[in-house]
Amino acid sequence: MATRQQPRVDAPASPDEFVVAVAQMRAARLRPEVLCEEMPAPQRIAPFASALSADVTVDGEDVGTGRIVLLHDPAGNDAWQGTFRCVAYARAEIDPEIANDPLAGEVAWSWLVEALAAHGAEFTAPSGTVTKVASESFGGMADEDATAQLEIRASWTPVGDIEAHVEAWGELMCTAVGLPPVPEGVTAIPSRRGQRGT
């Protein structure tokens, strides 16, 4: 029996302000240790979304990872207090002693706020969490070293150019893995998107 196919419904065209914001995301200049590429964005949170993922690599070893999603709802969102929202995630391997520091969460959150300020990325309505996870091995695995990870999940409503917000996210990941700041006057080289070393 032949079945009738439903007509195809194309996604609505992206508004100009979202197209501009995505171009600004792509223009962000990140440190060479940050290997960044576009990734599929969540489709159910907002009418329009774009996303980047990244790994922080030092001496050929991945020491941190993250992603940033730009959401846009032309009708606005009361919780966002605006029409755009940045949602970011960063995870880094850390020294287990840091995970036991009661101030580690507060310090990690300050890295985000300071990175946004350093890049001139104005924002409103910030929210987020910092999670510390420490692992110890026992029994047959007792000879393995203790490990720890730090995860920062945050969202904020960006004001102005999105490029600065993506650059702040890149700096957050680098700070989390313990990379020293780029000296003043030195410009970061953009990382290649969509290409990773084999």
Side-chain angles (χ1 to χ4, degrees):
M1 172 191 271
T3 58
R4 191 170 171 191
Q5 295 221 329
Q6 295 282 39
R8 184 176 162 212
V9 179
D10 290 325
S14 297
D16 289 346
E17 60 184 346
F18 181 69
V19 171
V20 168
V22 170
Q24 292 170 349
M25 280 184 83
R26 293 174 176 160
R29 298 173 68 85
L30 304 173
R31 291 175 59 151
E33 297 92 345
V34 180
L35 303 177
C36 186
E37 62 188 8
E38 294 187 38
M39 63 176 278
Q43 300 298 310
R44 297 182 181 180
I45 303 173
F48 303 95
S50 183
L52 299 173
S53 67
D55 291 324
V56 182
T57 304
V58 177
D59 297 328
E61 182 180 346
D62 287 346
V63 292
T65 188
R67 61 183 174 269
I68 187 167
V69 180
L70 178 67
L71 305 173
H72 178 54
D73 186 342
N77 184 307
D78 291 342
W80 301 353
Q81 301 173 20
T83 59
F84 282 96
R85 189 75 171 169
C86 289
V87 179
Y89 167 78
R91 185 182 74 220
E93 301 291 331
I94 59 171
D95 187 305
E97 289 186 15
I98 295 174
N100 294 325
D101 186 336
L103 296 177
E106 187 176 332
V107 169
W109 183 258
S110 75
W111 295 337
L112 170 64
V113 175
E114 289 168 6
L116 289 164
H119 289 273
E122 295 182 42
F123 63 94
T124 61
S127 65
T129 62
V130 175
T131 305
K132 304 168 290 179
V133 179
S135 299
E136 295 181 66
S137 300
F138 300 94
M141 300 171 64
D143 57 345
E144 294 189 13
D145 292 335
T147 61
Q149 290 185 337
L150 184 73
E151 293 184 350
I152 304 163
R153 297 175 186 269
S155 66
W156 63 92
T157 297
V159 177
D161 195 324
I162 301 302
E163 183 176 343
H165 295 267
V166 175
E167 290 173 353
W169 162 72
E171 183 175 324
L172 168 66
M173 289 189 294
C174 291
T175 302
V177 301
L179 288 175
V182 174
E184 194 170 336
V186 175
T187 303
I189 299 169
S191 59
R192 295 181 298 168
R193 289 182 171 80
Q195 297 182 5
R196 294 180 179 272
T198 55

